[in-house]
Amino acid sequence: MNKEEMRTPFQIYSGRSLTVRFDEGLLLFFGLRGRCVVTVGEEQYPLEKAGLLLINPLTIYRLHCPLDASVLVLRVEKEVLEREKWQGDCICYRESSREESGADRKVRGLLAQLFQYYFEHPETALVTRSRYLSELLHNLKTRFPGGALKQPVRESTMLRLGSILDRIADRWNEELSLNAIAEEEYLSVSYLSRFFQKN
């Protein structure tokens, strides 16, 4: 089993909040129960049972999932996106609804098949899972459009932000100041302040 096959592409969150995050992979959130909220920029996307939210790579988000709610997150690796020639630059959001479209049903069905197959056949080769994943990505690209993002964030910006957030997380119990972090990152205080406001 190669490294790509061993990665678990699914994560379930319940009773947990994630502070500012981003990922190199594509994230597809699927509401399981209750009401979780994913915040992207200043927009909030409530996810109730069967609600869908797709976030493209390197998009900054926060997740709030109370104890009475659960959300399933599918992470599609950067390598898979490159192989599938994914060029999405939008956020796709669908609330749960009794009057869903055929495209919504298809995407939800493919996600369920992928989830079921992944856990029923973890020992098998990636070929069948790749087929489901390819079909899911194709449906997201062609039949599940969303609103365009204002500006894609550069990868270097995301790496710098990740470095700063890691530094803060590692020293959460210490008294930190903007001045100290700016000095450690070789930045001016005003630039660091603007950097966080902008990103």
Side-chain angles (χ1 to χ4, degrees):
M1 196 177 278
N2 67 32
K3 191 175 168 185
E4 186 176 345
E5 290 178 68
M6 293 175 65
R7 293 184 190 129
T8 303
F10 292 98
Q11 186 77 39
I12 296 177
Y13 294 101
S14 184
R16 187 168 174 200
S17 290
L18 301 177
T19 56
V20 178
R21 302 280 177 150
F22 66 91
D23 199 290
E24 284 188 342
L26 180 93
L27 299 175
L28 182 60
F29 293 82
F30 181 76
L32 296 175
R33 68 182 176 98
R35 184 176 190 267
C36 296
V37 176
V38 180
T39 304
V40 179
E42 295 186 20
E43 293 290 323
Q44 290 191 339
Y45 299 95
L47 284 174
E48 296 178 350
K49 186 176 180 178
L52 287 169
L53 175 66
L54 177 134
I55 298 179
N56 277 281
L58 302 176
T59 300
I60 298 172
Y61 71 94
R62 287 185 311 242
L63 171 67
H64 175 68
C65 203
L67 286 172
D68 64 343
S70 300
V71 65
L72 172 71
V73 181
L74 167 65
R75 179 181 187 273
V76 182
E77 298 282 336
K78 181 180 175 182
E79 298 79 20
V80 174
L81 296 174
E82 289 169 357
R83 185 176 65 231
E84 294 296 323
K85 297 178 177 60
W86 179 268
Q87 294 184 358
D89 63 349
C90 65
I91 293 175
C92 298
Y93 173 63
R94 293 292 189 268
E95 295 181 71
S96 55
S97 164
R98 290 193 178 133
E99 298 175 16
E100 64 183 9
S101 70
D104 293 348
R105 275 192 302 281
K106 182 72 172 172
V107 167
R108 287 182 175 99
L110 285 167
L111 181 61
Q113 286 177 323
L114 185 62
F115 183 75
Q116 180 180 5
Y117 189 84
Y118 184 82
F119 287 101
E120 286 181 356
H121 307 283
E123 73 290 341
T124 61
L126 198 59
V127 175
T128 305
R129 286 185 296 208
S130 291
R131 190 183 83 230
Y132 285 129
L133 200 50
S134 293
E135 192 175 347
L136 177 64
L137 290 173
H138 173 75
N139 276 274
L140 288 170
K141 279 192 280 191
T142 59
R143 298 202 252 171
F144 201 67
L149 291 173
K150 292 174 188 163
Q151 281 185 332
V153 179
R154 290 186 5 212
E155 189 169 357
S156 61
T157 301
M158 298 306 292
L159 293 172
R160 163 125 329 167
L161 181 61
S163 170
I164 294 168
L165 292 174
D166 286 344
R167 188 177 304 274
I168 293 168
D170 289 344
R171 297 169 44 199
W172 65 269
N173 59 346
E174 298 175 23
E175 198 169 312
L176 293 175
S177 70
L178 192 61
N179 289 340
I181 294 169
E183 187 176 310
E184 291 171 13
E185 289 289 322
Y186 304 104
L187 300 171
S188 71
V189 174
S190 62
Y191 177 82
L192 182 60
S193 179
R194 285 194 314 273
F195 180 81
F196 267 102
Q197 289 172 1
K198 182 179 172 186
N199 297 302

PDB file of all heavy atoms in Angstrom, residues 164 168 175-185 187-197:
ATOM      1  N   ILE A 164       3.255  31.848  11.239  1.00  0.00           N
ATOM      2  CA  ILE A 164       2.893  32.741  12.349  1.00  0.00           C
ATOM      3  C   ILE A 164       1.893  32.060  13.284  1.00  0.00           C
ATOM      4  O   ILE A 164       2.047  32.094  14.507  1.00  0.00           O
ATOM      5  CB  ILE A 164       2.333  34.074  11.813  1.00  0.00           C
ATOM      6  CG1 ILE A 164       3.437  34.850  11.078  1.00  0.00           C
ATOM      7  CG2 ILE A 164       1.749  34.921  12.939  1.00  0.00           C
ATOM      8  CD1 ILE A 164       2.931  36.040  10.272  1.00  0.00           C
ATOM      9  N   ILE A 168       2.315  31.037  17.294  1.00  0.00           N
ATOM     10  CA  ILE A 168       1.364  31.436  18.339  1.00  0.00           C
ATOM     11  C   ILE A 168       0.820  30.202  19.063  1.00  0.00           C
ATOM     12  O   ILE A 168       0.750  30.173  20.296  1.00  0.00           O
ATOM     13  CB  ILE A 168       0.224  32.283  17.739  1.00  0.00           C
ATOM     14  CG1 ILE A 168       0.768  33.630  17.246  1.00  0.00           C
ATOM     15  CG2 ILE A 168      -0.900  32.490  18.748  1.00  0.00           C
ATOM     16  CD1 ILE A 168      -0.205  34.426  16.391  1.00  0.00           C
ATOM     17  N   GLU A 175       2.915  34.940  27.415  1.00  0.00           N
ATOM     18  CA  GLU A 175       2.423  36.273  27.088  1.00  0.00           C
ATOM     19  C   GLU A 175       3.104  36.716  25.787  1.00  0.00           C
ATOM     20  O   GLU A 175       4.321  36.895  25.738  1.00  0.00           O
ATOM     21  CB  GLU A 175       2.747  37.252  28.213  1.00  0.00           C
ATOM     22  CG  GLU A 175       1.911  38.505  28.135  1.00  0.00           C
ATOM     23  CD  GLU A 175       2.043  39.346  29.388  1.00  0.00           C
ATOM     24  OE1 GLU A 175       1.922  38.790  30.488  1.00  0.00           O
ATOM     25  OE2 GLU A 175       2.271  40.554  29.219  1.00  0.00           O
ATOM     26  N   LEU A 176       2.327  36.829  24.728  1.00  0.00           N
ATOM     27  CA  LEU A 176       2.858  37.206  23.423  1.00  0.00           C
ATOM     28  C   LEU A 176       2.419  38.619  23.071  1.00  0.00           C
ATOM     29  O   LEU A 176       1.340  39.050  23.445  1.00  0.00           O
ATOM     30  CB  LEU A 176       2.341  36.255  22.335  1.00  0.00           C
ATOM     31  CG  LEU A 176       2.832  34.820  22.405  1.00  0.00           C
ATOM     32  CD1 LEU A 176       2.144  33.991  21.336  1.00  0.00           C
ATOM     33  CD2 LEU A 176       4.329  34.754  22.217  1.00  0.00           C
ATOM     34  N   SER A 177       3.235  39.285  22.308  1.00  0.00           N
ATOM     35  CA  SER A 177       2.859  40.611  21.831  1.00  0.00           C
ATOM     36  C   SER A 177       3.076  40.666  20.318  1.00  0.00           C
ATOM     37  O   SER A 177       3.840  39.880  19.753  1.00  0.00           O
ATOM     38  CB  SER A 177       3.708  41.694  22.516  1.00  0.00           C
ATOM     39  OG  SER A 177       5.041  41.619  22.060  1.00  0.00           O
ATOM     40  N   LEU A 178       2.403  41.594  19.690  1.00  0.00           N
ATOM     41  CA  LEU A 178       2.565  41.809  18.261  1.00  0.00           C
ATOM     42  C   LEU A 178       4.021  42.157  17.952  1.00  0.00           C
ATOM     43  O   LEU A 178       4.589  41.681  16.968  1.00  0.00           O
ATOM     44  CB  LEU A 178       1.616  42.932  17.802  1.00  0.00           C
ATOM     45  CG  LEU A 178       1.441  43.116  16.306  1.00  0.00           C
ATOM     46  CD1 LEU A 178       0.869  41.866  15.671  1.00  0.00           C
ATOM     47  CD2 LEU A 178       0.530  44.296  16.041  1.00  0.00           C
ATOM     48  N   ASN A 179       4.629  42.956  18.815  1.00  0.00           N
ATOM     49  CA  ASN A 179       6.034  43.347  18.630  1.00  0.00           C
ATOM     50  C   ASN A 179       6.958  42.130  18.612  1.00  0.00           C
ATOM     51  O   ASN A 179       7.841  42.014  17.760  1.00  0.00           O
ATOM     52  CB  ASN A 179       6.487  44.308  19.730  1.00  0.00           C
ATOM     53  CG  ASN A 179       5.869  45.680  19.587  1.00  0.00           C
ATOM     54  OD1 ASN A 179       5.415  46.045  18.520  1.00  0.00           O
ATOM     55  ND2 ASN A 179       5.847  46.431  20.672  1.00  0.00           N
ATOM     56  N   ALA A 180       6.758  41.211  19.573  1.00  0.00           N
ATOM     57  CA  ALA A 180       7.622  40.029  19.676  1.00  0.00           C
ATOM     58  C   ALA A 180       7.477  39.133  18.446  1.00  0.00           C
ATOM     59  O   ALA A 180       8.476  38.652  17.898  1.00  0.00           O
ATOM     60  CB  ALA A 180       7.294  39.249  20.944  1.00  0.00           C
ATOM     61  N   ILE A 181       6.235  38.910  18.020  1.00  0.00           N
ATOM     62  CA  ILE A 181       6.010  38.048  16.852  1.00  0.00           C
ATOM     63  C   ILE A 181       6.584  38.699  15.604  1.00  0.00           C
ATOM     64  O   ILE A 181       7.228  38.035  14.782  1.00  0.00           O
ATOM     65  CB  ILE A 181       4.505  37.743  16.687  1.00  0.00           C
ATOM     66  CG1 ILE A 181       4.042  36.901  17.876  1.00  0.00           C
ATOM     67  CG2 ILE A 181       4.240  37.013  15.379  1.00  0.00           C
ATOM     68  CD1 ILE A 181       2.555  36.742  17.975  1.00  0.00           C
ATOM     69  N   ALA A 182       6.379  39.998  15.440  1.00  0.00           N
ATOM     70  CA  ALA A 182       6.921  40.714  14.279  1.00  0.00           C
ATOM     71  C   ALA A 182       8.446  40.599  14.243  1.00  0.00           C
ATOM     72  O   ALA A 182       9.028  40.349  13.188  1.00  0.00           O
ATOM     73  CB  ALA A 182       6.497  42.180  14.325  1.00  0.00           C
ATOM     74  N   GLU A 183       9.068  40.743  15.392  1.00  0.00           N
ATOM     75  CA  GLU A 183      10.533  40.653  15.460  1.00  0.00           C
ATOM     76  C   GLU A 183      11.005  39.245  15.075  1.00  0.00           C
ATOM     77  O   GLU A 183      11.958  39.096  14.306  1.00  0.00           O
ATOM     78  CB  GLU A 183      11.000  41.008  16.870  1.00  0.00           C
ATOM     79  CG  GLU A 183      12.499  41.118  16.999  1.00  0.00           C
ATOM     80  CD  GLU A 183      12.905  41.572  18.392  1.00  0.00           C
ATOM     81  OE1 GLU A 183      12.351  42.574  18.880  1.00  0.00           O
ATOM     82  OE2 GLU A 183      13.785  40.906  18.971  1.00  0.00           O
ATOM     83  N   GLU A 184      10.331  38.219  15.582  1.00  0.00           N
ATOM     84  CA  GLU A 184      10.713  36.837  15.275  1.00  0.00           C
ATOM     85  C   GLU A 184      10.496  36.493  13.802  1.00  0.00           C
ATOM     86  O   GLU A 184      11.197  35.647  13.249  1.00  0.00           O
ATOM     87  CB  GLU A 184       9.919  35.875  16.152  1.00  0.00           C
ATOM     88  CG  GLU A 184      10.313  35.948  17.617  1.00  0.00           C
ATOM     89  CD  GLU A 184       9.382  35.154  18.515  1.00  0.00           C
ATOM     90  OE1 GLU A 184       8.579  34.348  17.989  1.00  0.00           O
ATOM     91  OE2 GLU A 184       9.457  35.337  19.740  1.00  0.00           O
ATOM     92  N   GLU A 185       9.524  37.125  13.180  1.00  0.00           N
ATOM     93  CA  GLU A 185       9.227  36.872  11.765  1.00  0.00           C
ATOM     94  C   GLU A 185       9.953  37.849  10.838  1.00  0.00           C
ATOM     95  O   GLU A 185       9.735  37.831   9.625  1.00  0.00           O
ATOM     96  CB  GLU A 185       7.709  36.958  11.513  1.00  0.00           C
ATOM     97  CG  GLU A 185       6.927  35.821  12.101  1.00  0.00           C
ATOM     98  CD  GLU A 185       7.155  34.504  11.371  1.00  0.00           C
ATOM     99  OE1 GLU A 185       7.283  34.513  10.125  1.00  0.00           O
ATOM    100  OE2 GLU A 185       7.210  33.463  12.045  1.00  0.00           O
ATOM    101  N   LEU A 187       9.539  41.082  10.518  1.00  0.00           N
ATOM    102  CA  LEU A 187       8.554  41.970   9.908  1.00  0.00           C
ATOM    103  C   LEU A 187       8.403  43.216  10.769  1.00  0.00           C
ATOM    104  O   LEU A 187       8.663  43.177  11.973  1.00  0.00           O
ATOM    105  CB  LEU A 187       7.186  41.278   9.809  1.00  0.00           C
ATOM    106  CG  LEU A 187       7.116  39.997   8.990  1.00  0.00           C
ATOM    107  CD1 LEU A 187       5.755  39.338   9.184  1.00  0.00           C
ATOM    108  CD2 LEU A 187       7.371  40.276   7.524  1.00  0.00           C
ATOM    109  N   SER A 188       7.904  44.287  10.164  1.00  0.00           N
ATOM    110  CA  SER A 188       7.575  45.460  10.975  1.00  0.00           C
ATOM    111  C   SER A 188       6.231  45.198  11.652  1.00  0.00           C
ATOM    112  O   SER A 188       5.406  44.414  11.163  1.00  0.00           O
ATOM    113  CB  SER A 188       7.499  46.721  10.109  1.00  0.00           C
ATOM    114  OG  SER A 188       6.350  46.690   9.296  1.00  0.00           O
ATOM    115  N   VAL A 189       5.998  45.865  12.763  1.00  0.00           N
ATOM    116  CA  VAL A 189       4.755  45.700  13.509  1.00  0.00           C
ATOM    117  C   VAL A 189       3.566  46.134  12.649  1.00  0.00           C
ATOM    118  O   VAL A 189       2.539  45.452  12.602  1.00  0.00           O
ATOM    119  CB  VAL A 189       4.794  46.493  14.832  1.00  0.00           C
ATOM    120  CG1 VAL A 189       3.458  46.439  15.544  1.00  0.00           C
ATOM    121  CG2 VAL A 189       5.890  45.946  15.730  1.00  0.00           C
ATOM    122  N   SER A 190       3.706  47.236  11.943  1.00  0.00           N
ATOM    123  CA  SER A 190       2.594  47.737  11.117  1.00  0.00           C
ATOM    124  C   SER A 190       2.285  46.762   9.975  1.00  0.00           C
ATOM    125  O   SER A 190       1.119  46.523   9.658  1.00  0.00           O
ATOM    126  CB  SER A 190       2.894  49.136  10.581  1.00  0.00           C
ATOM    127  OG  SER A 190       4.033  49.124   9.758  1.00  0.00           O
ATOM    128  N   TYR A 191       3.322  46.167   9.374  1.00  0.00           N
ATOM    129  CA  TYR A 191       3.093  45.217   8.292  1.00  0.00           C
ATOM    130  C   TYR A 191       2.373  43.974   8.828  1.00  0.00           C
ATOM    131  O   TYR A 191       1.421  43.482   8.217  1.00  0.00           O
ATOM    132  CB  TYR A 191       4.407  44.801   7.624  1.00  0.00           C
ATOM    133  CG  TYR A 191       4.200  43.760   6.541  1.00  0.00           C
ATOM    134  CD1 TYR A 191       3.808  44.143   5.258  1.00  0.00           C
ATOM    135  CD2 TYR A 191       4.350  42.403   6.810  1.00  0.00           C
ATOM    136  CE1 TYR A 191       3.589  43.204   4.275  1.00  0.00           C
ATOM    137  CE2 TYR A 191       4.130  41.452   5.836  1.00  0.00           C
ATOM    138  CZ  TYR A 191       3.754  41.861   4.573  1.00  0.00           C
ATOM    139  OH  TYR A 191       3.527  40.914   3.605  1.00  0.00           O
ATOM    140  N   LEU A 192       2.840  43.448   9.975  1.00  0.00           N
ATOM    141  CA  LEU A 192       2.213  42.267  10.562  1.00  0.00           C
ATOM    142  C   LEU A 192       0.749  42.534  10.896  1.00  0.00           C
ATOM    143  O   LEU A 192      -0.124  41.709  10.643  1.00  0.00           O
ATOM    144  CB  LEU A 192       2.975  41.820  11.804  1.00  0.00           C
ATOM    145  CG  LEU A 192       2.447  40.559  12.499  1.00  0.00           C
ATOM    146  CD1 LEU A 192       2.473  39.364  11.558  1.00  0.00           C
ATOM    147  CD2 LEU A 192       3.257  40.261  13.745  1.00  0.00           C
ATOM    148  N   SER A 193       0.468  43.691  11.416  1.00  0.00           N
ATOM    149  CA  SER A 193      -0.908  44.060  11.744  1.00  0.00           C
ATOM    150  C   SER A 193      -1.772  44.098  10.481  1.00  0.00           C
ATOM    151  O   SER A 193      -2.863  43.519  10.441  1.00  0.00           O
ATOM    152  CB  SER A 193      -0.925  45.422  12.447  1.00  0.00           C
ATOM    153  OG  SER A 193      -2.242  45.785  12.730  1.00  0.00           O
ATOM    154  N   ARG A 194      -1.278  44.726   9.435  1.00  0.00           N
ATOM    155  CA  ARG A 194      -2.015  44.780   8.157  1.00  0.00           C
ATOM    156  C   ARG A 194      -2.173  43.390   7.548  1.00  0.00           C
ATOM    157  O   ARG A 194      -3.206  43.058   6.974  1.00  0.00           O
ATOM    158  CB  ARG A 194      -1.310  45.703   7.165  1.00  0.00           C
ATOM    159  CG  ARG A 194      -1.480  47.179   7.442  1.00  0.00           C
ATOM    160  CD  ARG A 194      -1.053  48.050   6.269  1.00  0.00           C
ATOM    161  NE  ARG A 194       0.232  47.676   5.683  1.00  0.00           N
ATOM    162  CZ  ARG A 194       1.426  48.107   6.087  1.00  0.00           C
ATOM    163  NH1 ARG A 194       1.507  48.920   7.113  1.00  0.00           N
ATOM    164  NH2 ARG A 194       2.512  47.710   5.471  1.00  0.00           N
ATOM    165  N   PHE A 195      -1.127  42.572   7.677  1.00  0.00           N
ATOM    166  CA  PHE A 195      -1.134  41.210   7.135  1.00  0.00           C
ATOM    167  C   PHE A 195      -2.299  40.415   7.744  1.00  0.00           C
ATOM    168  O   PHE A 195      -3.038  39.740   7.037  1.00  0.00           O
ATOM    169  CB  PHE A 195       0.217  40.547   7.443  1.00  0.00           C
ATOM    170  CG  PHE A 195       0.329  39.136   6.934  1.00  0.00           C
ATOM    171  CD1 PHE A 195       0.629  38.900   5.604  1.00  0.00           C
ATOM    172  CD2 PHE A 195       0.147  38.049   7.780  1.00  0.00           C
ATOM    173  CE1 PHE A 195       0.746  37.593   5.119  1.00  0.00           C
ATOM    174  CE2 PHE A 195       0.278  36.762   7.322  1.00  0.00           C
ATOM    175  CZ  PHE A 195       0.562  36.532   5.987  1.00  0.00           C
ATOM    176  N   PHE A 196      -2.468  40.500   9.071  1.00  0.00           N
ATOM    177  CA  PHE A 196      -3.560  39.772   9.713  1.00  0.00           C
ATOM    178  C   PHE A 196      -4.916  40.348   9.371  1.00  0.00           C
ATOM    179  O   PHE A 196      -5.896  39.624   9.207  1.00  0.00           O
ATOM    180  CB  PHE A 196      -3.364  39.724  11.239  1.00  0.00           C
ATOM    181  CG  PHE A 196      -2.655  38.490  11.685  1.00  0.00           C
ATOM    182  CD1 PHE A 196      -1.322  38.538  12.008  1.00  0.00           C
ATOM    183  CD2 PHE A 196      -3.309  37.285  11.756  1.00  0.00           C
ATOM    184  CE1 PHE A 196      -0.644  37.391  12.405  1.00  0.00           C
ATOM    185  CE2 PHE A 196      -2.648  36.134  12.156  1.00  0.00           C
ATOM    186  CZ  PHE A 196      -1.311  36.183  12.473  1.00  0.00           C
ATOM    187  N   GLN A 197      -5.030  41.645   9.249  1.00  0.00           N
ATOM    188  CA  GLN A 197      -6.309  42.258   8.897  1.00  0.00           C
ATOM    189  C   GLN A 197      -6.723  41.859   7.492  1.00  0.00           C
ATOM    190  O   GLN A 197      -7.886  41.600   7.223  1.00  0.00           O
ATOM    191  CB  GLN A 197      -6.234  43.776   9.015  1.00  0.00           C
ATOM    192  CG  GLN A 197      -6.150  44.255  10.442  1.00  0.00           C
ATOM    193  CD  GLN A 197      -5.877  45.747  10.538  1.00  0.00           C
ATOM    194  OE1 GLN A 197      -5.761  46.433   9.537  1.00  0.00           O
ATOM    195  NE2 GLN A 197      -5.765  46.237  11.751  1.00  0.00           N
TER     196      GLN A 197
END
